[in-house]
Every structure is written in structure tokens, then in C-alpha cells.
Amino acid sequence: KELLPVFGTRSLSRFSFGNMIRSSMLLVAVLLGYLAGPTVAAIGQRQLSQDGQKNDESACICSLLERPDVLEKEKRARWMVHSLNYGVLSTISTRLPGGPPFGNIYSFVDGPCDMSTGTPYFYGTYMDQSFKDIRENPRASLTLTEASLPSLCGSTPLQSCASHNGRGDPESPVCARLTMTGTLVELDPQDPEYQTAQAALFHRHPVMKFWPQNHAWVIAKLEIEDLWFLDYFGGASILDVEEYFQTELFPPPESD
């Protein structure tokens, strides 16, 4: 009864009971961390990070390479394939009548941080619709956009892709986009290429290692046959696949 005159009934009605519980739990987690050790403290720290506080334990897995010049189209396409970490994988649907295209978000790599192959590798399961589709028709495409750069550690949004600033948009021609079309091929687990791809996937997408083991995961690659690329005004370019693969993204090692 004595609390009501102090806070007022109107103030109490505006006070969020859920926020009070959440704040109390966070405080308990942090205090217990000092008493029980780093494990419980980490819980509090993760919550603080989610609330906008900097998590000092975070670090970039890969350093973002410098964006190539607009005139170096094959190199910029290679840069996108090496730097970006997800895209839209499109297959021919086996679920819908008539086989319309089916797009699905998929993470990928083209190799470890310090090596670019130009070939996208995927970690998937035949429980997923995209892999169900390729059992009947392995034709597929992967579409990338520079608008997804903010998902990368150490990256900032490009002005040309940011619609909120009134100057850019993901659909703008100068916000580069790339569509690679070809055949999605499952790798043999005994093949050295499989081992290299798996190591790169698990390093650059660490959570994949902890996905359910009973999903019969496979690794597949997109064997590229066509490259449709738009990064400037004047229409899209059809890149030469051989020139794309010959492009050096990293400087050649110095000879002794």
C-alpha cells in the first residue's frame, strides 16, 4: 500500500513486468558469473551483446578483401563469390506442378579464407527441398548480391545498395548482382575435394559442425556453365567462364 503513493498507479500500469523479469534474470546471470566462473558469466555477456553492447570475444573469421574496380568484372564476380557467405539457390521444383523455379537461401564457400576457387560449395541434406529437387533435375543457379555485405564481419553497407539513404537500392544496377547457372553435383566423401570443402565450410560457418548428425549431410558444388553479372548502368554482362576461373583474386606467391 505504501508503494502506490510513491510510484503512482499510472506509473505502475506503464511499467513492464516482463522487462523487470528480464532485467532481473540478466543481473542474476552476471552476478553468478563472478561467483561461479566464466561459463555463467558468458551467458550474461551474450545477453549484453544482444542488447547492443560490444562483445569483445567476437572476431572476424576472414578478412574482407578490397573490392575490385568496376571495370574488372570477372575479378569483381570472383570477389563476390569468395567474400559473400550466402545467396539464393534456385532449383526446378519437384513439389509444385509444372516444375516452376524454387529459390532457397543457402550458405556457401568457395574455399578457405586465403584461397579462392571460384566454385561455390554447399552443405545440405536431401531432407531439404532444394536437394530433393536436384535428385530429379540437377540444374541450378546461385544468385548473389552486394546488398548482403552487412552480414559479413568487418563490412559496412554499400551506399549503392542501401535503400534507406534515398540514394541506393538492392535493385540498383550499381549494387552488383551475380547469377551463376550450372549443375549441382554431390561430392564423394573420399575425394580430397570433399575434405577441403568441408574444412572451409566448417571454418567459415562454424555452427554447421553442430547441426544434427542424423540428417545425412552431403557436400555439393555448383559446376558453373554461365555467369550473368550486373554491376553498372548499361545492362548486364555475360562473363566468360574460363576467364572467370583464370582470374587471380589473391596475388601470386613470391618466388625465392
Side-chain angles (χ1 to χ4, degrees), residues 154-177:
S155 176
T156 56
L158 296 176
Q159 294 296 313
S160 57
C161 300
S163 57
H164 66 272
N165 60 19
R167 297 187 297 274
D169 194 86
E171 198 174 336
S172 168
V174 292
C175 179
R177 71 195 79 158

Side-chain angles (χ1 to χ4, degrees), residues 121-167:
Y121 293 91
F122 307 90
Y123 191 59
T125 168
Y126 287 102
M127 298 171 68
D128 181 73
Q129 186 61 48
S130 298
F131 276 75
K132 288 179 181 178
D133 291 343
I134 67 168
R135 272 184 163 157
E136 293 192 22
N137 188 341
R139 303 286 292 168
S141 66
L142 176 67
T143 298
L144 310 179
T145 170
E146 285 185 324
S148 67
L149 276 170
S151 70
L152 301 175
C153 180
S155 176
T156 56
L158 296 176
Q159 294 296 313
S160 57
C161 300
S163 57
H164 66 272
N165 60 19
R167 297 187 297 274

Side-chain angles (χ1 to χ4, degrees), residues 181-204:
T181 302
T183 303
L184 205 59
V185 178
E186 182 183 342
L187 299 184
D188 183 348
Q190 304 304 317
D191 193 317
E193 184 180 13
Y194 178 100
Q195 307 299 330
T196 302
Q198 184 186 61
L201 284 162
F202 284 2
H203 178 66
R204 299 180 66 175

Side-chain angles (χ1 to χ4, degrees), residues 22 26 29 41-53:
R22 182 170 175 271
L26 174 60
I43 299 174
Q45 288 298 323
R46 281 197 296 271
Q47 184 61 57
L48 287 172
S49 177
Q50 293 171 3
D51 287 339
Q53 302 296 326

